[in-house]
């Protein structure tokens, strides 16, 4: 299984090229896109023939995880290509604006949903953020979890128990209090689950956690980088 970081920043990109949240997972011949924040479509197009993309997961409906879905529709129309979108249902205007399109086949997920794509299995766990957010657990030849945006909660532990690698929203500075995990949480989880590789993402444009994570075994996510899982 391979994970490519298309964009790692939130809630907006970084001057000079940083994009907001978006990731590409490849398991065998199966591709799954995780979130589509601003700037991630062009990076996705540079990684793969978009007609091979059939499955897109949206963790939650904040703009930094969804905005490129809007322009992606123009490309899908040109290509006459339809994709499955996996996301929870929400009774909101933004949900309708985002997903009401003939090239989007929306599949609503919750904690009980299991989706099989070829040799890849997808499951979902509710997280804790300012809006509804689900983590996705992708089981193929290895198991990867992506938390979306969340602060620490008991289901984060379930993510770690199920996974070889956790791509986690855990890049805020020490002492941070808010709807994301900090590097304090990341270091604690790394100690609790020494066999699980953490990739710390959802980074702020004004704080790079790389130095503070040095020596912890936690990887600070790098854009345009592919990690073998
Ligand atoms: Zn968010």
């Amino acid at each position: 299984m391979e994970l490519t970081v298309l964009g790692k920043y939130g809630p907006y990109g970084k001057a000079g090229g940083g994009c907001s949240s978006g990731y590409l997972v490849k398991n065998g011949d199966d591709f799954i896109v995780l979130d589509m924040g601003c700037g991630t479509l062009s990076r996705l197009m540079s990684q793969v023939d978009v007609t091979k993309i059939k499955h897109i997961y949206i963790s939650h409906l904040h703009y930094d995880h969804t905005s490129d879905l809007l322009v992606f529709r123009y490309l899908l129309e040109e290509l006459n290509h339809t994709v499955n979108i996996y996301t929870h249902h929400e009774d909101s205007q933004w949900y309708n604006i985002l997903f009401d399109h003939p090239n989007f086949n929306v599949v609503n997920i919750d904690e009980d949903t299991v989706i099989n794509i070829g040799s890849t299995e997808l499951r979902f766990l509710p997280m804790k953020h300012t809006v509804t957010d689900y983590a996705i657990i992708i089981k193929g030849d290895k198991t990867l979890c992506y938390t979306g945006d969340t602060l620490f909660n008991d289901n984060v532990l379930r993510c770690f128990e199920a996974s070889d690698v956790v791509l986690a929203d855990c890049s805020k500075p020490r002492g941070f209090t808010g709807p994301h995990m900090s590097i304090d949480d990341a270091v604690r989880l790394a100690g609790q689950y020494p066999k699980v590789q953490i990739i710390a993402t959802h980074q702020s444009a004004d704080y790079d956690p790389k130095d503070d994570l040095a020596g912890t075994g936690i990887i600070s996510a790098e854009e345009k980088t592919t990690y073998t899982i």
Side-chain angles (χ1 to χ4, degrees):
M1 188 184 288
E2 289 180 347
L3 164 69
T4 302
V5 177
L6 307 173
K8 67 173 183 178
Y9 291 100
Y12 44 79
K14 186 171 184 174
C19 300
S20 58
S21 299
Y23 310 89
L24 175 64
V25 176
K26 183 176 186 293
N27 182 59
D29 294 330
D30 307 320
F31 291 96
I32 302 146
V33 175
L34 312 178
D35 287 338
M36 284 195 75
C38 69
T40 56
L41 177 58
S42 69
R43 288 196 173 153
L44 178 66
M45 293 163 72
S46 71
Q47 289 288 328
V48 64
D49 172 357
V50 170
T51 59
K52 289 188 175 170
I53 300 295
K54 295 181 179 137
H55 308 283
I56 295 178
Y57 172 66
I58 300 295
S59 63
H60 68 298
L61 304 196
H62 278 156
Y63 305 147
D64 54 330
H65 294 252
T66 57
S67 60
D68 267 16
L69 280 175
L70 298 174
V71 289
F72 188 35
R73 306 191 305 199
Y74 293 136
L75 178 60
L76 293 176
E77 287 167 12
E78 275 185 27
L79 296 172
N80 193 25
H81 181 61
T82 296
V83 295
N84 293 324
I85 306 263
Y86 307 104
T87 196
H88 67 279
H89 183 261
E90 208 169 284
D91 200 8
S92 71
Q93 196 178 14
W94 183 231
Y95 178 97
N96 294 332
I97 291 168
L98 271 177
F99 299 128
D100 186 10
H101 190 274
N103 293 91
F104 286 165
N105 174 41
V106 178
V107 178
N108 288 133
I109 58 94
D110 61 23
E111 195 171 358
D112 298 322
T113 307
V114 181
I115 291 168
N116 288 293
I117 299 164
S119 58
T120 311
E121 179 192 89
L122 312 181
R123 291 177 184 269
F124 310 91
L125 280 173
M127 294 284 108
K128 201 167 177 186
H129 193 42
T130 55
V131 296
T132 300
D133 176 291
Y134 277 81
I136 182 170
I137 297 173
I138 304 166
K139 188 176 178 188
D141 47 11
K142 290 287 179 76
T143 302
L144 165 71
C145 175
Y146 166 54
T147 64
D149 283 6
T150 191
L151 45 77
F152 179 77
N153 67 93
D154 284 348
N155 275 349
V156 170
L157 303 178
R158 293 175 65 191
C159 290
F160 274 75
E161 281 155 14
S163 304
D164 299 295
V165 174
V166 178
L167 175 64
D169 168 19
C170 61
S171 299
K172 296 294 181 194
R174 292 189 187 281
F176 174 84
T177 54
H180 305 275
M181 292 189 283
S182 70
I183 61 170
D184 291 321
D185 295 300
V187 169
R188 193 181 69 252
L189 286 160
Q192 201 171 343
Y193 297 94
K195 291 181 179 167
V196 179
Q197 176 66 61
I198 301 173
I199 301 177
T201 194
H202 205 277
Q203 300 181 4
S204 304
D206 59 358
Y207 170 68
D208 184 344
K210 198 184 322 185
D211 289 346
D212 288 334
L213 291 175
T216 64
I218 298 165
I219 294 171
S220 176
E222 294 288 351
E223 294 188 327
K224 299 189 281 185
T225 298
T226 298
Y227 300 94
T228 301
I229 293 166

